[in-house]
Amino acid sequence: MRSRFSPAATLALIFATSPSIIGISGQQTGKSNKTATAPSSPAVRFTDIRKAAGIDFVQDSTQTDERYYLETMGTGVAWIDYDQDGLLDLYLVQSAATDAYKPDHPLRSALFHNNGDGTFSDVTERAHVGGDGHYGQGIAVGDFDNDGFPDIYVTGYQSAILYHNNGDGTFTDVTAHAGVTDQGNWSSSAGWFDFDKDGWLDLLVTNYIDWSPKNNLWCGEHKPGYRSYCNPNNYRGQKTTLYHNNHDGTFTDVSAKSGVGSPESKGMSMVLADLNNDGWPDIAVANDTWPNFLFENNHDGTFTDVSLISGLAASEDGRYEAGMGIDAADVDGDGNLDIYITHLDFELNRLYRNNGDGTFTDATYSSGIGNKAILLSGVAAKFLDYDNDGWPDILQANGAMLDNVHLYHSLVSYKEPLLMFRNLGHGKFEKVSESLGADFNRPMAGRGLATADFFNDGQVGIAVNCRGGEPMVLRNEGTTNHWVEIMLIGTKSNRDGIGSLLKLSSGGVVQVDQSKGGTSYMSASDPRIHFGLGKRGKIDSLQITWPSGQVDKLTNVPIDTVIAVKEGVGIVPHPFPKVRSR
C-alpha cells in the first residue's frame, strides 16, 4: 500500500537517503436496451446504528513505535446468514498480539447475531470463531461442502483459518484437514468461486509481501514522530494461491498447475466473475504498486495471464498504482461487467470500461470520476444501487495508511469520510457524498467494507471495519423506488449459485448482474443479488443462467421483496423477515 508525496525537495532527500515510504498517498449476455438516464436522486440518508444495535467491537491496530507493516492494513468485515434464518449477521475480523505489541486483553474476531429487532448479540464464544492468537486480515464466505450453511475463511499473517459451519450455530476449525492453511504466506483477501464448474466452490487467496519483524525497515525521517510505514517496493511480492475443492472436505493446491500462482504478486483483493462473457469465471486481482492481474479461464482447469493485453494491468498513462479494493458491475448497461479499482492519495481511482472483446479502457475521466477524490486514500470499493434507481453506484471506504500523514502533507488527513459516486445513467457519475448525511461523512480510518440489506427492506446498508476503532454500521433510509433481491440455491451447481448470470427485464429495461466471488477489500457482502427498479412496478421476466448450464426463466416475479430461487425449480419458500426497529 502506498500513495505519493508531493515532489518537494525535502521529501526527495528522504527518498534518496532511506527506504521508500508508503507515502501519502462462449455465451454472450446480450446488450441491455436501457435508454433513459437515472432520475434525480431521492433523499437517501445513512444512519450509524452500531451503538444502538449493541455492536461493541473495537479493531486493535496493534500499533507501536516499531511501525510493523501489519499494523496499517486493517481488517475485514462480512455479512453472513450463518444460521439461515433469513437475517444477515455480522462478522468482524480482528488482529492479534505481535513481537512488539502485547495487549492487556485477548484479541479475537467477533460474530454478531442479527436479532431481527435492530439489535445484534455477540455469539462468538458459542460459535467458536474468535480465532484467538491469529492475526486476521480478510474474510470470505461460501458453502464449500454444499450442505446449505455458509462457511468462513479468514485470511491472515503466516496462516489462514477455515471454519466449517455445523448447522447448529457453531463452527469447527477444519483448516488442517482441508489443506488450506496457506502456511507462511501473508494472505490478504480471499474469494470463493467454481472455476471448473464441477458444482463445488474452489478458493482463491491473494498473498501480499515477504515482510517479517526481522526485515522491518525504518522509513521516514529520523526524528520523533516521523517514522512511517514503508512502501511495498522495499519487499518482494508473494504469489496467488488457488485451492481446488476435492468434494470430500479437502482441497488441492493447484496454483502452479493452473497458472494463477506463476507471477509474483502483491495482492490486495480480487473479483471472480465472467469478464469476457464466455460462461466461465475469470480472475481479476488488484495489486499494490504492481501490475493488476487478469487471468482468463481456459475451461480446462488452467488460466491465461492476459493482464497486459487486456488494458487492466496499469492506468491509462501506464503506471502501476497502489491497487487496494476492486469490484465489477455493468455500469453502462451494455451487458459487460466493468471494473473499479481504488488507489491511495495523489493517484486516481480507476474505472475500467469493459469493451466486450477481452479488453478494457480506462474511463476514469470520461465517466466523470476523474480526480474528484485525489486527496483521499481509497481502500475498499463496492458497487451498489443505494437509491434503487436501477443503476449501480460506487461506494468507497477511505483512510490514509499513515496516522502521521499530516507531518508530510498538509492537504491529507489520516481519517477520511466515505465516498459515493452516483450513477447518472450509462456509466456517467457524480459525487454525492455530502447529501447522504452526517454519519456517512464522518471521518474514519476505513479498511474492510461490506454492503448488505440487513433490514430486509430493500435498502442496501454498509459496514466498515475501521482501523483502531469501532466499526460503522450504516442503515440506508429514504428511497421509495422499487426493488427485488434474489437468493440463489444451486442444485447441480454449487449451492450458493456463485457464477450465475442474472438478466432481469422490466418495462423495456434489461439489467445484467452476476453472483461474484471476492470484491471489495478483505471483506464479504450480502450474497443475494439486488436489483433496483426505479419507478417500474412490474418485472416482465428474470432469467438465470446457472454454472451448470441450466437456464431458468421466471415470470410473475414479485417486487419489493426478497425471494429464493432454486435451480431447476423456481421460486421456493424461504423466510426473509423484515427487521422490526426498536
Side-chain angles (χ1 to χ4, degrees):
M1 292 164 295
R2 60 111 173 108
S3 65
R4 299 179 177 182
F5 288 103
S6 62
T10 54
L11 296 179
L13 179 63
I14 293 171
F15 281 102
T17 57
S18 65
S20 56
I21 304 169
I22 277 185
I24 327 295
S25 49
Q27 172 185 323
Q28 297 294 326
T29 61
K31 290 190 176 182
S32 163
N33 56 355
K34 292 185 192 181
T35 56
T37 57
S40 59
S41 178
V44 173
R45 293 292 185 274
F46 287 90
T47 304
D48 192 349
I49 66 165
R50 178 200 62 80
K51 188 173 181 180
I55 298 170
D56 57 0
F57 179 87
V58 178
Q59 200 274 347
D60 196 319
S61 68
T62 71
Q63 183 167 321
T64 71
D65 291 340
E66 293 298 317
R67 296 289 185 169
Y68 279 5
Y69 212 117
L70 277 173
E71 300 166 5
T72 193
M73 295 281 282
T75 51
V77 57
W79 292 103
I80 171 176
D81 183 6
Y82 77 95
D83 55 357
Q84 290 296 283
D85 63 355
L87 295 166
L88 287 169
D89 313 298
L90 185 65
Y91 189 96
L92 292 148
V93 181
Q94 184 60 285
S95 57
T98 69
D99 292 349
Y101 180 75
K102 306 299 180 186
D104 57 6
H105 59 280
L107 299 181
R108 62 176 176 84
S109 298
L111 175 63
F112 290 91
H113 178 262
N114 188 334
N115 299 323
D117 60 359
T119 69
F120 289 74
S121 297
D122 189 335
V123 295
T124 312
E125 186 174 351
R126 178 179 184 271
H128 310 301
V129 291
D132 297 33
H134 176 244
Y135 204 113
Q137 292 285 261
I139 179 170
V141 174
D143 183 3
F144 76 84
D145 58 352
N146 291 330
D147 66 354
F149 289 91
D151 309 298
I152 295 172
Y153 188 75
V154 182
T155 62
Y157 181 65
Q158 294 294 313
S159 66
I161 301 175
L162 177 60
Y163 293 111
H164 174 256
N165 191 329
N166 299 320
D168 60 359
T170 69
F171 291 77
T172 300
D173 182 342
V174 297
T175 317
H177 172 73
V180 292
T181 306
D182 205 38
Q183 191 68 41
N185 285 324
W186 180 356
S187 52
S188 52
S189 294
W192 297 98
F193 73 140
D194 183 4
F195 76 85
D196 56 355
K197 301 207 296 185
D198 64 355
W200 298 79
L201 289 179
D202 311 299
L203 180 65
L204 186 82
V205 182
T206 55
N207 297 302
Y208 192 38
I209 56 174
D210 283 329
W211 172 91
S212 75
K214 293 181 179 179
N215 66 7
N216 191 53
L217 302 172
W218 183 294
C219 293
E221 297 187 51
H222 284 263
K223 58 184 182 180
Y226 276 75
R227 186 172 184 179
S228 301
Y229 298 103
C230 294
N231 187 297
N233 283 329
N234 291 298
Y235 301 96
R236 288 187 59 84
Q238 296 187 332
K239 294 186 177 183
T240 306
T241 305
L242 178 60
Y243 293 107
H244 178 259
N245 192 326
N246 298 327
H247 313 173
D248 60 0
T250 69
F251 293 77
T252 298
D253 186 337
V254 294
S255 310
K257 178 182 177 182
S258 67
V260 170
S262 297
E264 182 180 347
S265 176
K266 296 180 181 179
M268 289 278 91
S269 55
M270 87 285 286
V271 61
L272 309 171
D274 179 8
L275 298 171
N276 61 358
N277 298 330
D278 67 353
W280 291 75
D282 308 301
I283 299 169
V285 175
N287 281 312
D288 188 5
T289 68
W290 203 257
N292 299 316
F293 291 158
L294 178 57
F295 293 104
E296 194 173 83
N297 196 321
N298 296 326
H299 315 172
D300 60 0
T302 68
F303 291 80
T304 297
D305 186 346
V306 297
S307 307
L308 293 174
I309 63 174
S310 71
L312 195 67
S315 65
E316 186 175 30
D317 53 353
R319 290 183 297 139
Y320 303 141
E321 298 172 304
M324 299 288 289
I326 190 171
D327 200 4
D330 178 12
V331 302
D332 51 6
D334 66 357
N336 303 310
L337 294 189
D338 310 294
I339 291 177
Y340 186 77
I341 300 178
T342 65
H343 300 103
L344 302 188
D345 45 19
F346 296 102
E347 295 177 340
L348 302 183
N349 302 296
R350 301 284 173 178
L351 178 64
Y352 294 93
R353 197 177 303 279
N354 190 329
N355 299 318
D357 60 0
T359 68
F360 290 79
T361 298
D362 187 338
T364 303
Y365 275 100
S366 63
S367 66
I369 293 171
N371 64 357
K372 292 178 181 177
I374 198 167
L375 295 180
L376 298 177
S377 290
V379 180
K382 275 293 295 175
F383 284 109
L384 79 165
D385 186 357
Y386 81 93
D387 54 1
N388 286 340
D389 67 354
W391 293 94
D393 311 299
I394 297 171
L395 171 67
Q396 181 174 307
N398 307 292
M401 297 298 108
L402 305 180
D403 61 314
N404 59 356
V405 65
H406 61 283
L407 299 176
Y408 290 98
H409 207 299
S410 61
L411 296 177
V412 177
S413 300
Y414 168 55
K415 293 186 177 182
E416 301 169 340
L418 291 167
L419 175 68
M420 186 77 80
F421 285 113
R422 180 172 183 256
N423 194 332
L424 301 176
H426 301 284
K428 301 294 184 181
F429 292 87
E430 69 173 353
K431 184 172 175 284
V432 296
S433 308
E434 292 77 10
S435 70
L436 299 178
D439 287 343
F440 188 91
N441 287 278
R442 189 169 73 246
M444 60 181 173
R447 295 297 187 260
L449 166 71
T451 58
D453 177 11
F454 53 88
F455 270 76
N456 283 342
D457 61 0
Q459 300 184 83
V460 182
I462 302 165
V464 185
N465 206 345
C466 302
R467 179 182 185 258
E470 296 89 357
M472 294 181 74
V473 182
L474 299 178
R475 183 181 183 183
N476 180 339
E477 300 174 290
T479 182
T480 57
N481 286 329
H482 296 300
W483 56 278
V484 68
E485 287 168 12
I486 302 102
M487 173 185 173
L488 300 174
I489 304 175
T491 53
K492 291 183 291 184
S493 303
N494 66 85
R495 177 65 181 242
D496 292 338
I498 294 175
S500 297
L501 170 68
L502 291 82
K503 188 183 296 184
L504 183 143
S505 301
S506 174
V509 175
V510 177
Q511 295 168 259
V512 172
D513 202 357
Q514 294 180 30
S515 177
K516 300 176 284 286
T519 78
S520 188
Y521 168 78
M522 303 200 302
S523 299
S525 293
D526 191 337
R528 302 171 300 189
I529 310 301
H530 175 99
F531 288 103
L533 301 173
K535 300 304 179 184
R536 299 184 299 277
K538 182 177 183 296
I539 294 172
D540 300 318
S541 66
L542 171 63
Q543 179 175 298
I544 303 174
T545 304
W546 301 82
S548 68
Q550 169 75 29
V551 178
D552 293 329
K553 188 167 185 178
L554 311 178
T555 56
N556 299 316
V557 177
I559 66 169
D560 299 333
T561 191
V562 188
I563 61 173
V565 178
K566 190 172 185 178
E567 181 179 9
V569 177
I571 299 174
V572 295
H574 194 285
F576 297 107
K578 287 196 173 183
V579 172
R580 307 179 310 277
S581 298
R582 285 188 171 181

